[in-house]
Amino acid sequence: MAKQNAPEKNAKTPSAREARLKAALKANMARRKAQARARAEDVAQDTGNGPNGSEKDS
Protein backbone atom coordinates (compact mmCIF):
# COMPACT_ATOMS: atom_id res chain seq x y z
CA MET A 1 0.00 0.00 0.00
CA ALA A 2 2.97 2.29 0.33
CA LYS A 3 3.50 2.38 -3.45
CA GLN A 4 0.24 4.08 -4.41
CA ASN A 5 2.15 7.16 -5.62
CA ALA A 6 4.32 5.17 -8.04
CA PRO A 7 1.86 5.31 -11.00
CA GLU A 8 1.59 9.10 -10.70
CA LYS A 9 5.36 9.45 -10.63
CA ASN A 10 5.81 7.33 -13.78
CA ALA A 11 2.88 8.88 -15.66
CA LYS A 12 5.16 11.04 -17.85
CA THR A 13 7.58 8.24 -18.71
CA PRO A 14 5.18 6.06 -20.74
CA SER A 15 3.94 9.01 -22.79
CA ALA A 16 7.52 10.02 -23.63
CA ARG A 17 8.29 6.39 -24.45
CA GLU A 18 5.18 6.10 -26.58
CA ALA A 19 6.15 9.25 -28.46
CA ARG A 20 9.64 7.85 -29.12
CA LEU A 21 8.20 4.52 -30.25
CA LYS A 22 5.67 6.26 -32.48
CA ALA A 23 8.42 8.32 -34.13
CA ALA A 24 10.62 5.25 -34.58
CA LEU A 25 7.73 3.30 -36.10
CA LYS A 26 6.91 6.14 -38.49
CA ALA A 27 10.56 6.35 -39.62
CA ASN A 28 10.76 2.58 -40.02
CA MET A 29 7.58 2.46 -42.11
CA ALA A 30 8.86 5.27 -44.33
CA ARG A 31 12.13 3.39 -44.86
CA ARG A 32 10.33 0.17 -45.68
CA LYS A 33 8.00 1.89 -48.15
CA ALA A 34 10.96 3.52 -49.88
CA GLN A 35 12.70 0.14 -50.12
CA ALA A 36 9.55 -1.47 -51.56
CA ARG A 37 9.21 1.32 -54.13
CA ALA A 38 12.86 0.93 -55.15
CA ARG A 39 12.47 -2.84 -55.51
CA ALA A 40 9.31 -2.44 -57.58
CA GLU A 41 11.06 0.06 -59.82
CA ASP A 42 14.02 -2.29 -60.31
CA VAL A 43 11.72 -5.18 -61.20
CA ALA A 44 9.77 -2.99 -63.62
CA GLN A 45 12.98 -1.90 -65.35
CA ASP A 46 14.31 -5.46 -65.56
CA THR A 47 11.12 -6.85 -67.07
CA GLY A 48 10.37 -3.86 -69.29
CA ASN A 49 7.01 -3.36 -67.59
CA GLY A 50 5.79 -0.19 -65.96
CA PRO A 51 4.61 -0.08 -62.35
CA ASN A 52 1.05 -0.91 -63.42
CA GLY A 53 2.13 -4.03 -65.32
CA SER A 54 1.82 -2.68 -68.85
CA GLU A 55 4.74 -2.61 -71.25
CA LYS A 56 6.71 0.59 -71.68
CA ASP A 57 7.03 2.39 -74.98
CA SER A 58 10.63 2.31 -76.19
Side-chain angles (χ1 to χ4, degrees):
M1 284 199 201
K3 292 189 177 186
Q4 283 183 333
N5 294 336
E8 293 176 19
K9 180 180 176 184
N10 294 331
K12 291 183 181 179
T13 304
S15 62
R17 180 176 183 262
E18 286 178 14
R20 279 195 325 269
L21 289 174
K22 184 177 179 180
L25 179 62
K26 187 174 181 178
N28 188 25
M29 291 299 294
R31 238 185 348 263
R32 291 175 70 118
K33 284 184 179 183
Q35 287 175 347
R37 277 188 238 117
R39 286 188 195 120
E41 186 177 304
D42 287 344
V43 169
Q45 288 176 354
D46 291 345
T47 61
N49 292 336
N52 62 359
S54 62
E55 291 187 22
K56 292 183 182 177
D57 293 329
S58 296

